[in-house]
Amino acid sequence: MRTLHQTMGSTTTNDPRSLPAIGLSTEELRMRLQHITEKVIKDTWAKNSYLTYYDETLCPDASYAIHAYRDRKELVKLENGEAHLVKIL
């Protein structure tokens, strides 16, 4: 008879799911999170909403961000908790 500990434990170290996220390389972490990322993007765009991120090549400083919609990207300036459109990219 197998106990819960024996059933839940894993001795396989080749499976990235058995390793803590902190121990993964950037590429391994990216692969682990890829399906979650794709779902978030799909759900966000289905709601006609946007994703916000910082891109050092497009944003002059940390007070700027990119809003990525399904059909366009916008450079916005963040001031007092509000985003103000600077340019459609």
Side-chain angles (χ1 to χ4, degrees), residues 22-86:
I22 195 75
L24 298 177
S25 70
T26 303
E27 187 59 32
E28 290 169 327
L29 186 59
R30 183 174 316 193
M31 287 173 48
R32 182 188 279 188
L33 297 175
Q34 182 177 5
H35 70 283
I36 297 169
T37 303
E38 290 170 355
K39 182 177 181 344
V40 167
I41 291 170
K42 182 180 175 184
D43 292 349
T44 300
W45 287 348
K47 297 175 189 172
N48 202 25
S49 192
Y50 58 87
L51 300 166
T52 302
Y53 63 94
Y54 177 77
D55 184 341
E56 62 185 28
T57 60
L58 298 172
C59 301
D61 60 52
S63 66
Y64 290 84
I66 305 297
H67 282 182
Y69 292 86
R70 179 183 12 211
D71 60 345
R72 70 185 184 285
K73 292 182 180 180
E74 299 176 350
L75 176 64
V76 296
K77 182 160 178 65
L78 307 172
E79 294 176 329
N80 301 324
E82 294 183 11
H84 302 280
L85 177 65
V86 174

Side-chain angles (χ1 to χ4, degrees), residues 1-11:
M1 178 163 85
R2 300 189 77 173
T3 66
L4 180 61
H5 178 69
Q6 290 170 326
T7 304
M8 298 301 288
S10 173
T11 58

